């Protein structure tokens, strides 16, 4: 059947015409589906993950397991699409409000949230959209991931990088803040940083950094945008843009890491006052305002920025529509409770490794400057060899994907105290036998 203009502009029917990442699908997770699990205990939470019990899962943050509510949502949407693809797409009476769920979790407004497929996609959309005048630059650091460095390069803007700490294990708030302050210049238009460094496990003191960037902007008489890669903060820290990230202008994160959302999902949030500096859509959006402008022979507007910056086209909708289930899962556990659990497990691991001869911690021991990632070295043993020996003992870990490599363990909801103690003992054994 041919769609009318009114149907094209309706949320679900717009998806049938071109399929935006937001505002289409079927109703949110039935509450009864998640009521069976007792999430008051960490054993109950782990029971929802479907993990192989023979392994200790310290690499689950890379591409996280789907909790049961997410698996069920994906399967339900898959069945619906397989049974009636066109009808399921345009079921306007039972849409999933994905951006609304993301906004509630972040403490934001839906119109300020764009949906992406990953952190990498979000970074590319953001940095290609930044408007730089002649003589302006983006200040970044030497600690960021390839995705940030390459997104900045591909943006075509002038980029300068600074080192925020010399020794990660001994980094301090004062050192990071003072180094950043010295690096800022009248040319700096934006600061591109990573909240939790996957290279070292260092967590930047974001409130302090926001203050330094804000002061620099006031000193130079213009706003300096603070852009943050939160891939290893979302779902590990109590991220809420309404308070905990005060001063951040843009936040980018994949949802398939610590949040344990559907694989291939992510978010890009911008502060209302910051969006005009970056709202230049890179990929056509099929949001109603964009599609309607095209139907009328006009140019799609860059606002509202969340929908306008959300890539259109057909996607793995069963995964996109299951994203609210991931937010709901963390909210049912409690965001602050999850963050405290991650902090406690990482603290336990660092404390244990600090007493092992031959093992050197790379990550700061203070929770103020660390999150769920713990990086370490074993004297005389290459990180890859350490990870292979851990794997032989049933412990899944990873190597930092950087030129300077370390052993890396993630203390998320996929592990518990017994896993941590077993990992400490295994690393002590490897250090003794080197």
């Amino acid at each position: 059947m041919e769609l009318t203009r009114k149907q094209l502009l309706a949320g679900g029917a717009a998806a049938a015409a071109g399929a935006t990442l937001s505002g289409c699908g079927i109703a949110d997770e039935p509450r009864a589906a998640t009521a069976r699990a007792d999430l008051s205990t960490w054993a109950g939470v782990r029971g929802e993950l479907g993990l192989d019990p023979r392994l200790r899962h310290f690499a689950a943050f890379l591409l996280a397991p789907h909790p049961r509510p997410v698996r069920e949502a994906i399967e339900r949407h898959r069945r619906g699409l397989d049974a009636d693809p066109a009808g399921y797409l345009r079921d306007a009476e039972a849409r999933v409000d994905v951006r609304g769920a993301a906004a509630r979790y972040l403490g934001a407004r839906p119109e300020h949230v764009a949906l992406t497929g990953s952190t990498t996609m979000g970074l590319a959309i953001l940095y290609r959209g930044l408007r730089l005048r002649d003589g302006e630059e983006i200040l970044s650091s030497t600690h960021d991931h390839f995705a940030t460095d390459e997104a900045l390069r591909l943006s075509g803007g002038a980029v300068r990088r600074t080192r925020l700490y010399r020794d990660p294990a001994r980094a301090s708030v004062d050192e990071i803040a003072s180094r950043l302050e010295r690096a800022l210049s009248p040319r700096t238009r934006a600061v591109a940083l990573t909240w939790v460094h996957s290279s070292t496990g260092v967590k930047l003191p974001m409130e302090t950094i926001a203050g330094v960037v804000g002061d620099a902007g006031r000193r130079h008489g213009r706003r300096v945008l603070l852009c943050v890669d939160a891939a290893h903060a979302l779902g590990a820290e109590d991220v809420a843009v309404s308070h905990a990230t005060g001063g951040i202008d843009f936040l980018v994160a994949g949802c398939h890491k610590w949040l344990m959302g559907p694989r291939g999902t992510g978010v890009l949030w911008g502060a209302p006052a910051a969006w005009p500096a970056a709202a230049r859509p890179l990929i056509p959006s099929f949001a109603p305002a964009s599609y309607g402008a095209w139907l009328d022979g006009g140019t799609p507007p860059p606002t509202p920025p969340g929908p306008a910056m959300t890539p259109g086209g057909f996607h793995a909708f069963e995964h996109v529509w299951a994203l609210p289930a991931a937010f709901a899962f963390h909210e049912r556990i409690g965001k602050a409770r999850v963050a405290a659990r991650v902090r406690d497990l990482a603290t336990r691991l660092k404390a244990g490794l600090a007493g092992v001869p031959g093992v050197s911690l790379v990550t700061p021991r203070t929770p103020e400057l660390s999150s769920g990632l713990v990086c370490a070295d074993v004297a005389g043993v290459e990180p890859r060899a350490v990870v292979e020996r851990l794997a032989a003992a049933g412990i899944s870990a990873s190597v930092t994907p950087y030129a300077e490599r370390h052993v890396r363990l993630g203390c998320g909801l996929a592990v518990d105290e017994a896993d941590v103690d077993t990992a400490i003992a295994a690393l002590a054994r490897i250090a003794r036998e080197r």
Side-chain angles (χ1 to χ4, degrees), residues 20 43 89 123 133 143 148 173-174 209 250 271 278 280 286 348 350 364 419:
T20 177
L89 273 170
L123 292 170
R133 298 172 182 170
H143 314 285
T148 290
V173 174
D174 287 345
I209 284 175
F250 291 101
R280 290 195 297 171
F286 291 168
R348 185 186 186 103
K350 288 181 290 185
D419 293 330

Side-chain angles (χ1 to χ4, degrees), residues 9 25 39 54 66 94 101-102 173 225 282 296 433:
L9 295 181
L39 302 184
R54 297 170 297 180
H66 291 153
V173 174
L225 301 171
L282 175 65
D296 291 336
E433 297 171 354

Side-chain angles (χ1 to χ4, degrees), residues 135-136 184-189 220 222:
E136 292 184 332
L184 289 161
S185 80
R187 297 183 56 190
T188 307
R189 177 67 176 106
H220 300 307
R222 62 177 175 178

Side-chain angles (χ1 to χ4, degrees), residues 288-316:
S290 300
Y291 208 95
W294 176 77
L295 289 173
D296 291 336
T299 300
T303 55
M309 299 291 281
T310 295
F314 284 87
H315 304 271

Side-chain angles (χ1 to χ4, degrees), residues 65-90:
H66 291 153
R68 182 181 57 79
V70 174
R71 296 196 305 270
E72 291 178 350
I74 291 171
E75 178 59 20
R76 188 171 63 257
H77 294 311
R78 184 197 62 77
R79 288 197 306 266
L81 286 168
D82 286 345
D84 180 13
Y88 202 83
L89 273 170
R90 62 174 180 262

Side-chain angles (χ1 to χ4, degrees), residues 159-242:
V159 180
R160 184 166 52 87
R161 292 181 174 84
T162 188
R163 190 177 183 90
L164 297 176
Y165 47 83
R166 184 173 297 278
D167 180 354
R170 293 174 173 79
S172 69
V173 174
D174 287 345
E175 179 190 16
I176 292 170
S178 61
R179 282 174 174 258
L180 177 62
E181 186 174 21
R182 289 195 300 270
L184 289 161
S185 80
R187 297 183 56 190
T188 307
R189 177 67 176 106
V191 177
L193 298 176
T194 300
W195 198 334
V196 180
H197 294 162
S198 58
S199 55
T200 61
V202 170
K203 179 180 73 176
L204 295 184
M206 202 49 67
E207 288 191 31
T208 299
I209 284 175
V212 170
V213 173
D215 288 344
R218 287 185 288 272
R219 190 165 59 249
H220 300 307
R222 62 177 175 178
R223 187 187 187 101
V224 178
L225 301 171
L226 177 55
C227 310
V228 177
D229 173 344
H232 294 288
L234 188 70
E237 297 291 318
D238 187 4
V239 175
V241 296
S242 60

